[in-house]
Amino acid sequence: MAEFKLDCMHETCPIPLLKAVKALKKMELGDVLIMLTDHNCSISNVIEWVEKQGHKMDYMEIGQGEWEIYIEKARK
């Protein structure tokens, strides 16, 4: 299992989601993508997409208006 970081700070929707989709395509099953974002709209977009795709995810606020989104690739 490998971890990859994706910095999406100061980027608005749908750029963070598009970057996540591109990154996940290159990852192996069980790998974890850690997205950094300061755009709360990204969280709802990413959650909806991840649930539809069957991946595992969690997120937490790491600072005032800054979040880390953890996505574990669970499907090809």
Side-chain angles (χ1 to χ4, degrees):
M1 177 180 99
E3 286 187 358
F4 301 89
K5 284 210 170 192
L6 182 61
D7 186 352
C8 297
M9 299 295 278
H10 313 293
E11 295 180 350
T12 60
C13 295
I15 301 302
L17 177 58
L18 296 173
K19 284 184 164 183
V21 170
K22 185 176 180 180
L24 283 163
K25 285 182 181 177
K26 298 176 184 174
M27 295 168 50
E28 300 294 326
L29 291 176
D31 288 351
V32 175
L33 180 65
I34 303 170
M35 292 179 62
L36 305 171
T37 184
D38 59 354
H39 195 250
N40 62 359
C41 178
S42 297
I43 295 171
S44 59
N45 286 345
V46 170
I47 289 172
E48 182 179 334
W49 181 83
V50 166
E51 288 176 349
K52 285 181 182 176
Q53 298 302 312
H55 301 303
K56 300 174 184 174
M57 71 155 296
D58 197 4
Y59 65 94
M60 63 187 239
E61 189 168 9
I62 57 171
Q64 184 70 27
E66 297 178 356
W67 295 270
E68 283 186 343
I69 303 172
Y70 301 88
I71 304 170
E72 181 181 336
K73 185 169 183 170
R75 288 185 45 198
K76 283 276 180 184

Coordinates of all heavy atoms in Angstrom, one line a residue:
M1 N 0.8 -1.2 0.0 CA 0.0 0.0 0.0 C 0.9 1.2 0.0 O 1.8 1.4 0.8 CB -0.9 0.0 1.2 CG -1.8 1.2 1.3 SD -2.8 1.2 2.8 CE -1.9 2.2 3.9
A2 N 0.6 2.1 -0.9 CA 1.4 3.4 -1.0 C 0.5 4.5 -0.8 O -0.7 4.4 -0.9 CB 2.0 3.5 -2.4
E3 N 1.1 5.6 -0.3 CA 0.3 6.9 -0.1 C 0.8 7.9 -1.1 O 2.0 8.0 -1.4 CB 0.5 7.4 1.3 CG -0.2 6.6 2.3 CD -0.1 7.3 3.7 OE1 0.5 8.3 3.9 OE2 -0.7 6.7 4.6
F4 N -0.2 8.7 -1.7 CA 0.1 9.7 -2.6 C -0.6 11.0 -2.1 O -1.7 10.9 -1.7 CB -0.4 9.4 -4.0 CG 0.2 8.1 -4.5 CD1 -0.4 6.9 -4.3 CD2 1.4 8.2 -5.3 CE1 0.2 5.7 -4.8 CE2 2.0 7.0 -5.8 CZ 1.4 5.8 -5.5
K5 N 0.1 12.1 -2.2 CA -0.5 13.4 -1.8 C -0.8 14.2 -3.0 O -0.1 14.2 -4.0 CB 0.5 14.2 -0.9 CG 0.6 13.7 0.5 CD 0.9 14.7 1.5 CE 0.7 14.2 2.9 NZ 0.7 15.2 3.9
L6 N -2.0 14.9 -2.9 CA -2.4 15.7 -4.0 C -2.8 17.1 -3.5 O -3.8 17.2 -2.7 CB -3.7 15.0 -4.7 CG -4.3 15.7 -5.9 CD1 -3.2 15.8 -7.0 CD2 -5.5 14.9 -6.4
D7 N -2.0 18.1 -3.8 CA -2.3 19.4 -3.3 C -3.3 20.1 -4.2 O -3.0 20.4 -5.4 CB -1.0 20.2 -3.2 CG -1.1 21.5 -2.6 OD1 -2.3 22.0 -2.3 OD2 -0.1 22.2 -2.3
C8 N -4.5 20.4 -3.7 CA -5.5 21.1 -4.4 C -5.9 22.4 -3.7 O -7.0 22.9 -3.9 CB -6.7 20.2 -4.6 SG -6.5 18.7 -5.5
M9 N -4.9 22.9 -3.0 CA -5.2 24.2 -2.3 C -5.4 25.3 -3.3 O -4.7 25.4 -4.3 CB -4.0 24.5 -1.4 CG -3.8 23.5 -0.3 SD -5.1 23.4 0.9 CE -4.7 24.7 2.0
H10 N -6.3 26.2 -3.0 CA -6.6 27.3 -3.9 C -7.2 27.0 -5.2 O -7.1 27.8 -6.2 CB -5.4 28.3 -4.0 CG -4.7 28.6 -2.7 ND1 -5.3 29.3 -1.7 CD2 -3.5 28.2 -2.2 CE1 -4.5 29.3 -0.7 NE2 -3.4 28.7 -1.0
E11 N -7.7 25.8 -5.4 CA -8.3 25.4 -6.6 C -9.8 25.1 -6.4 O -10.2 24.5 -5.4 CB -7.6 24.1 -7.2 CG -6.2 24.4 -7.6 CD -5.5 23.1 -8.1 OE1 -6.0 22.0 -8.0 OE2 -4.4 23.3 -8.6
T12 N -10.6 25.6 -7.3 CA -12.1 25.4 -7.2 C -12.6 24.3 -8.0 O -11.9 23.7 -8.9 CB -12.8 26.7 -7.6 OG1 -12.5 27.0 -9.0 CG2 -12.4 27.9 -6.8
C13 N -13.8 23.9 -7.7 CA -14.5 22.8 -8.4 C -14.6 23.1 -9.9 O -14.8 24.3 -10.2 CB -15.8 22.5 -7.8 SG -15.8 21.9 -6.2
P14 N -14.4 22.1 -10.7 CA -14.2 20.7 -10.5 C -12.8 20.3 -10.6 O -12.5 19.1 -10.6 CB -15.0 20.1 -11.6 CG -14.8 21.0 -12.8 CD -14.7 22.4 -12.2
I15 N -11.8 21.2 -10.5 CA -10.4 20.9 -10.7 C -9.9 19.8 -9.7 O -9.3 18.8 -10.1 CB -9.5 22.1 -10.6 CG1 -9.9 23.1 -11.7 CG2 -8.1 21.8 -10.8 CD1 -9.9 22.6 -13.1
P16 N -10.2 19.9 -8.4 CA -9.8 18.9 -7.4 C -10.3 17.5 -7.7 O -9.6 16.5 -7.7 CB -10.3 19.4 -6.1 CG -10.3 20.9 -6.2 CD -10.8 21.1 -7.6
L17 N -11.6 17.4 -8.1 CA -12.1 16.1 -8.4 C -11.5 15.6 -9.7 O -11.1 14.4 -9.7 CB -13.7 16.3 -8.7 CG -14.4 15.0 -9.1 CD1 -14.1 13.9 -8.1 CD2 -15.8 15.2 -9.3
L18 N -11.3 16.4 -10.7 CA -10.6 15.9 -11.9 C -9.2 15.4 -11.6 O -8.8 14.4 -12.2 CB -10.6 17.0 -13.0 CG -12.0 17.4 -13.5 CD1 -11.9 18.6 -14.4 CD2 -12.7 16.3 -14.2
K19 N -8.5 16.1 -10.8 CA -7.1 15.7 -10.4 C -7.2 14.4 -9.7 O -6.3 13.5 -9.8 CB -6.4 16.8 -9.6 CG -6.0 18.0 -10.3 CD -5.2 18.9 -9.4 CE -4.4 19.9 -10.2 NZ -3.6 20.8 -9.3
A20 N -8.2 14.2 -8.8 CA -8.3 13.0 -8.0 C -8.6 11.8 -9.0 O -8.0 10.7 -8.8 CB -9.4 13.1 -7.0
V21 N -9.5 12.0 -9.9 CA -9.8 10.9 -10.8 C -8.6 10.5 -11.6 O -8.3 9.3 -11.8 CB -10.9 11.4 -11.8 CG1 -11.1 10.4 -12.9 CG2 -12.2 11.6 -11.1
K22 N -7.8 11.5 -12.1 CA -6.6 11.2 -12.9 C -5.5 10.5 -12.0 O -4.9 9.5 -12.4 CB -6.0 12.5 -13.4 CG -4.8 12.3 -14.3 CD -4.3 13.7 -14.8 CE -3.1 13.5 -15.7 NZ -2.7 14.8 -16.2
A23 N -5.4 10.9 -10.7 CA -4.4 10.2 -9.8 C -4.8 8.8 -9.5 O -4.0 7.9 -9.5 CB -4.3 11.1 -8.6
L24 N -6.1 8.6 -9.3 CA -6.6 7.2 -8.9 C -6.4 6.3 -10.1 O -6.2 5.1 -9.8 CB -8.0 7.3 -8.5 CG -8.2 7.8 -7.0 CD1 -9.7 8.2 -6.8 CD2 -7.8 6.8 -6.0
K25 N -6.5 6.7 -11.3 CA -6.3 5.8 -12.4 C -4.9 5.2 -12.4 O -4.7 4.1 -12.9 CB -6.6 6.6 -13.7 CG -8.0 6.8 -14.0 CD -8.2 7.5 -15.3 CE -9.7 7.8 -15.6 NZ -10.0 8.5 -16.8
K26 N -3.9 6.0 -11.9 CA -2.5 5.5 -11.9 C -2.2 4.6 -10.7 O -1.1 4.0 -10.7 CB -1.6 6.7 -12.0 CG -1.7 7.6 -13.2 CD -0.8 8.8 -13.1 CE -1.0 9.7 -14.3 NZ -0.3 10.9 -14.2
M27 N -3.1 4.6 -9.7 CA -2.8 3.9 -8.4 C -3.2 2.5 -8.5 O -4.1 2.1 -9.3 CB -3.5 4.7 -7.3 CG -2.9 6.1 -7.1 SD -3.9 7.1 -6.0 CE -4.2 6.1 -4.6
E28 N -2.6 1.7 -7.5 CA -3.0 0.3 -7.4 C -4.1 0.1 -6.3 O -4.2 1.0 -5.5 CB -1.8 -0.5 -7.0 CG -0.6 -0.5 -8.0 CD -1.0 -1.1 -9.3 OE1 -1.7 -2.1 -9.3 OE2 -0.5 -0.6 -10.4
L29 N -4.8 -1.0 -6.3 CA -5.7 -1.3 -5.3 C -5.1 -1.3 -3.9 O -4.0 -1.8 -3.7 CB -6.3 -2.7 -5.5 CG -7.3 -2.9 -6.7 CD1 -7.7 -4.3 -6.8 CD2 -8.5 -1.9 -6.6
G30 N -5.7 -0.6 -3.0 CA -5.2 -0.5 -1.6 C -4.4 0.8 -1.4 O -4.1 1.2 -0.3
D31 N -3.9 1.4 -2.5 CA -3.2 2.7 -2.3 C -4.1 3.8 -1.8 O -5.3 3.7 -2.0 CB -2.6 3.1 -3.7 CG -1.5 2.3 -4.1 OD1 -1.0 1.4 -3.3 OD2 -1.1 2.4 -5.3
V32 N -3.5 4.7 -1.1 CA -4.3 5.8 -0.5 C -3.9 7.2 -1.1 O -2.7 7.5 -1.2 CB -4.1 5.9 1.0 CG1 -4.9 7.1 1.6 CG2 -4.7 4.6 1.6
L33 N -4.9 7.9 -1.5 CA -4.7 9.3 -2.0 C -5.1 10.3 -0.9 O -6.2 10.2 -0.4 CB -5.5 9.5 -3.3 CG -5.4 10.9 -3.9 CD1 -4.0 11.1 -4.4 CD2 -6.4 11.1 -5.0
I34 N -4.2 11.2 -0.6 CA -4.5 12.2 0.4 C -4.6 13.5 -0.3 O -3.6 14.0 -0.8 CB -3.4 12.2 1.5 CG1 -3.3 10.9 2.2 CG2 -3.8 13.3 2.5 CD1 -2.1 10.8 3.1
M35 N -5.8 14.0 -0.4 CA -6.0 15.3 -1.1 C -6.0 16.4 0.0 O -6.7 16.3 1.0 CB -7.4 15.3 -1.8 CG -7.5 14.4 -2.9 SD -9.2 14.5 -3.6 CE -9.2 16.2 -4.2
L36 N -5.4 17.5 -0.3 CA -5.4 18.7 0.5 C -6.3 19.8 -0.3 O -6.0 20.0 -1.4 CB -4.0 19.3 0.7 CG -3.0 18.3 1.3 CD1 -1.6 19.0 1.3 CD2 -3.4 18.0 2.7
T37 N -7.3 20.3 0.4 CA -8.1 21.3 -0.2 C -8.6 22.4 0.8 O -8.6 22.1 2.0 CB -9.4 20.6 -0.9 OG1 -10.1 21.6 -1.6 CG2 -10.2 20.0 0.2
D38 N -8.9 23.5 0.3 CA -9.4 24.6 1.1 C -10.8 25.1 0.5 O -11.3 26.1 0.8 CB -8.5 25.8 1.2 CG -8.1 26.4 -0.1 OD1 -8.4 25.8 -1.1 OD2 -7.4 27.4 -0.1
H39 N -11.3 24.2 -0.4 CA -12.6 24.6 -1.1 C -13.6 23.5 -0.6 O -13.6 22.4 -1.1 CB -12.4 24.5 -2.6 CG -13.5 25.2 -3.3 ND1 -14.3 24.5 -4.1 CD2 -13.8 26.5 -3.4 CE1 -15.2 25.3 -4.6 NE2 -14.9 26.6 -4.2
N40 N -14.6 24.0 0.3 CA -15.5 23.0 0.9 C -16.4 22.3 -0.2 O -16.9 21.2 0.1 CB -16.3 23.6 2.0 CG -17.1 24.7 1.6 OD1 -17.1 25.1 0.4 ND2 -17.9 25.3 2.5
C41 N -16.6 23.0 -1.3 CA -17.4 22.3 -2.4 C -16.7 21.1 -2.9 O -17.4 20.1 -3.3 CB -17.6 23.3 -3.5 SG -18.5 22.7 -4.9
S42 N -15.4 21.1 -2.8 CA -14.7 19.9 -3.3 C -15.0 18.7 -2.5 O -15.1 17.6 -3.0 CB -13.2 20.1 -3.2 OG -12.8 21.2 -4.0
I43 N -15.2 18.9 -1.2 CA -15.5 17.7 -0.3 C -16.8 17.0 -0.7 O -16.8 15.8 -0.9 CB -15.6 18.2 1.2 CG1 -14.2 18.7 1.6 CG2 -16.1 17.0 2.1 CD1 -14.2 19.3 3.0
S44 N -17.9 17.8 -0.9 CA -19.1 17.2 -1.3 C -19.0 16.5 -2.7 O -19.5 15.4 -2.9 CB -20.3 18.2 -1.3 OG -20.0 19.3 -2.1
N45 N -18.3 17.2 -3.6 CA -18.1 16.6 -5.0 C -17.3 15.3 -4.9 O -17.7 14.3 -5.6 CB -17.4 17.6 -5.9 CG -18.3 18.7 -6.4 OD1 -19.6 18.6 -6.2 ND2 -17.8 19.7 -6.9
V46 N -16.3 15.3 -4.2 CA -15.4 14.1 -4.1 C -16.1 13.0 -3.3 O -16.1 11.8 -3.8 CB -14.1 14.5 -3.4 CG1 -13.3 13.2 -3.0 CG2 -13.2 15.4 -4.2
I47 N -16.8 13.3 -2.3 CA -17.6 12.3 -1.5 C -18.6 11.6 -2.4 O -18.6 10.4 -2.5 CB -18.3 12.9 -0.3 CG1 -17.3 13.3 0.8 CG2 -19.3 11.9 0.3 CD1 -17.9 14.0 1.9
E48 N -19.3 12.4 -3.2 CA -20.4 11.8 -4.1 C -19.7 10.9 -5.1 O -20.2 9.8 -5.3 CB -21.1 12.9 -4.7 CG -22.2 12.4 -5.6 CD -23.0 13.6 -6.2 OE1 -23.0 14.7 -5.7 OE2 -23.6 13.4 -7.3
W49 N -18.6 11.4 -5.7 CA -18.0 10.6 -6.8 C -17.4 9.3 -6.2 O -17.5 8.2 -6.7 CB -16.9 11.4 -7.4 CG -16.2 10.7 -8.5 CD1 -16.7 10.5 -9.8 CD2 -15.0 9.9 -8.4 NE1 -15.8 9.7 -10.5 CE2 -14.7 9.4 -9.7 CE3 -14.1 9.7 -7.4 CZ2 -13.6 8.6 -10.0 CZ3 -13.0 9.0 -7.7 CH2 -12.8 8.4 -8.9
V50 N -16.7 9.4 -5.0 CA -16.0 8.3 -4.4 C -17.1 7.2 -4.0 O -16.8 6.0 -4.3 CB -15.2 8.7 -3.2 CG1 -14.8 7.5 -2.3 CG2 -14.0 9.5 -3.6
E51 N -18.2 7.6 -3.5 CA -19.2 6.6 -3.1 C -19.8 5.9 -4.4 O -20.0 4.7 -4.3 CB -20.3 7.3 -2.4 CG -19.9 7.7 -1.0 CD -21.0 8.5 -0.2 OE1 -22.0 8.9 -0.8 OE2 -20.8 8.7 1.0
K52 N -20.0 6.7 -5.4 CA -20.5 6.0 -6.7 C -19.5 5.1 -7.3 O -19.8 4.1 -7.9 CB -20.8 7.1 -7.7 CG -22.1 7.9 -7.4 CD -22.3 8.9 -8.5 CE -23.6 9.7 -8.2 NZ -23.8 10.7 -9.2
Q53 N -18.2 5.3 -7.1 CA -17.1 4.5 -7.6 C -16.8 3.3 -6.8 O -16.1 2.4 -7.2 CB -15.8 5.3 -7.9 CG -16.0 6.4 -8.9 CD -16.5 5.9 -10.2 OE1 -15.9 5.0 -10.8 NE2 -17.6 6.5 -10.8
G54 N -17.2 3.3 -5.5 CA -17.0 2.2 -4.6 C -15.7 2.2 -3.9 O -15.2 1.2 -3.3
H55 N -15.0 3.4 -3.8 CA -13.8 3.5 -3.1 C -14.1 3.8 -1.6 O -15.3 4.2 -1.3 CB -12.9 4.6 -3.7 CG -12.5 4.4 -5.1 ND1 -11.9 3.2 -5.5 CD2 -12.7 5.1 -6.2 CE1 -11.7 3.3 -6.8 NE2 -12.2 4.5 -7.3
K56 N -13.1 3.7 -0.8 CA -13.3 4.0 0.7 C -12.8 5.4 0.9 O -11.8 5.8 0.3 CB -12.6 3.0 1.5 CG -13.1 1.6 1.4 CD -12.2 0.7 2.2 CE -12.6 -0.8 1.9 NZ -11.7 -1.7 2.6
M57 N -13.4 6.2 1.8 CA -12.9 7.5 2.0 C -13.2 8.0 3.4 O -14.1 7.5 4.1 CB -13.4 8.5 1.0 CG -14.9 8.8 1.2 SD -15.3 10.4 0.5 CE -14.4 11.6 1.5
D58 N -12.5 9.0 3.8 CA -12.7 9.8 5.1 C -12.1 11.1 4.9 O -11.3 11.3 3.9 CB -12.0 9.0 6.2 CG -12.6 9.5 7.6 OD1 -13.6 10.3 7.6 OD2 -12.1 9.0 8.6
Y59 N -12.5 12.1 5.7 CA -11.9 13.4 5.6 C -11.9 14.0 7.0 O -12.6 13.6 7.9 CB -12.6 14.3 4.6 CG -14.0 14.6 5.0 CD1 -14.4 15.8 5.6 CD2 -15.1 13.8 4.6 CE1 -15.7 16.1 6.0 CE2 -16.4 14.0 5.0 CZ -16.7 15.2 5.6 OH -18.0 15.5 6.0
M60 N -11.0 15.0 7.1 CA -10.9 15.7 8.4 C -10.4 17.1 8.2 O -9.7 17.4 7.2 CB -10.1 15.0 9.4 CG -8.6 14.9 9.0 SD -7.7 13.9 10.2 CE -6.5 15.0 10.8
E61 N -10.9 18.0 9.0 CA -10.5 19.4 8.9 C -9.2 19.5 9.6 O -9.1 19.1 10.8 CB -11.5 20.4 9.5 CG -11.2 21.8 9.2 CD -12.4 22.8 9.6 OE1 -13.4 22.3 10.2 OE2 -12.3 23.9 9.2
I62 N -8.2 20.0 9.0 CA -6.8 20.1 9.6 C -6.5 21.5 10.0 O -5.5 21.7 10.6 CB -5.7 19.6 8.6 CG1 -5.8 20.3 7.3 CG2 -5.9 18.1 8.4 CD1 -4.6 20.0 6.4
G63 N -7.3 22.5 9.6 CA -7.1 23.8 9.9 C -8.3 24.6 9.6 O -9.3 24.1 9.1
Q64 N -8.3 25.9 9.8 CA -9.4 26.8 9.6 C -9.7 26.7 8.1 O -8.9 27.4 7.3 CB -9.1 28.2 10.0 CG -10.3 29.1 9.9 CD -11.5 28.8 10.8 OE1 -11.3 28.2 11.9 NE2 -12.7 29.1 10.4
G65 N -10.7 26.0 7.7 CA -11.1 26.0 6.2 C -10.2 25.1 5.4 O -10.2 25.3 4.2
E66 N -9.4 24.2 6.0 CA -8.5 23.3 5.2 C -8.8 21.9 5.6 O -9.0 21.6 6.8 CB -7.1 23.7 5.5 CG -6.7 25.1 5.1 CD -5.2 25.4 5.4 OE1 -4.5 24.5 6.0 OE2 -4.8 26.5 5.0
W67 N -8.9 21.0 4.6 CA -9.2 19.6 4.8 C -8.3 18.7 4.2 O -7.7 19.1 3.1 CB -10.6 19.3 4.3 CG -11.7 20.0 5.0 CD1 -12.4 19.6 6.1 CD2 -12.3 21.3 4.6 NE1 -13.4 20.6 6.4 CE2 -13.3 21.6 5.6 CE3 -12.0 22.2 3.6 CZ2 -14.0 22.8 5.5 CZ3 -12.7 23.4 3.6 CH2 -13.7 23.7 4.5
E68 N -8.2 17.5 4.7 CA -7.5 16.4 4.1 C -8.6 15.4 3.8 O -9.4 15.0 4.7 CB -6.4 15.7 5.0 CG -5.2 16.5 5.0 CD -4.1 15.8 5.8 OE1 -4.4 14.9 6.6 OE2 -2.9 16.2 5.7
I69 N -8.6 14.9 2.6 CA -9.5 13.8 2.1 C -8.7 12.6 1.8 O -7.8 12.7 1.0 CB -10.3 14.3 0.9 CG1 -11.1 15.6 1.1 CG2 -11.3 13.2 0.4 CD1 -11.7 16.2 -0.1
Y70 N -9.0 11.5 2.5 CA -8.3 10.2 2.3 C -9.2 9.3 1.4 O -10.3 9.0 1.8 CB -8.1 9.6 3.7 CG -7.3 10.4 4.6 CD1 -7.9 11.3 5.4 CD2 -5.9 10.3 4.7 CE1 -7.2 12.1 6.3 CE2 -5.2 11.1 5.5 CZ -5.8 12.0 6.3 OH -5.1 12.8 7.2
I71 N -8.6 8.9 0.3 CA -9.4 8.0 -0.6 C -8.5 6.7 -0.7 O -7.4 6.8 -1.2 CB -9.6 8.6 -1.9 CG1 -10.3 10.0 -1.8 CG2 -10.4 7.7 -2.8 CD1 -10.4 10.8 -3.1
E72 N -9.1 5.6 -0.4 CA -8.4 4.3 -0.6 C -9.0 3.7 -1.8 O -10.2 3.5 -1.9 CB -8.6 3.4 0.6 CG -7.9 2.0 0.4 CD -8.1 1.1 1.5 OE1 -8.4 1.5 2.7 OE2 -8.0 -0.1 1.3
K73 N -8.2 3.4 -2.8 CA -8.6 2.8 -4.0 C -9.1 1.3 -3.8 O -8.3 0.5 -3.3 CB -7.5 2.8 -5.1 CG -8.0 2.3 -6.4 CD -7.0 2.5 -7.5 CE -7.6 2.1 -8.9 NZ -6.8 2.5 -10.0
A74 N -10.4 1.1 -4.0 CA -10.9 -0.2 -3.7 C -11.4 -0.9 -4.9 O -11.8 -2.1 -4.8 CB -12.1 -0.1 -2.7
R75 N -11.4 -0.2 -6.0 CA -11.9 -0.9 -7.3 C -11.0 -0.4 -8.4 O -10.4 0.7 -8.4 CB -13.3 -0.4 -7.6 CG -14.3 -1.1 -6.7 CD -15.7 -0.7 -7.2 NE -15.9 -0.8 -8.6 CZ -16.8 -0.3 -9.3 NH1 -17.7 0.4 -8.7 NH2 -16.9 -0.4 -10.6
K76 N -10.8 -1.2 -9.4 CA -10.1 -0.8 -10.7 C -10.9 0.1 -11.5 O -12.1 0.2 -11.4 CB -9.7 -2.0 -11.5 CG -8.5 -2.7 -10.9 CD -7.3 -2.1 -11.3 CE -6.1 -2.8 -10.7 NZ -4.8 -2.2 -11.1

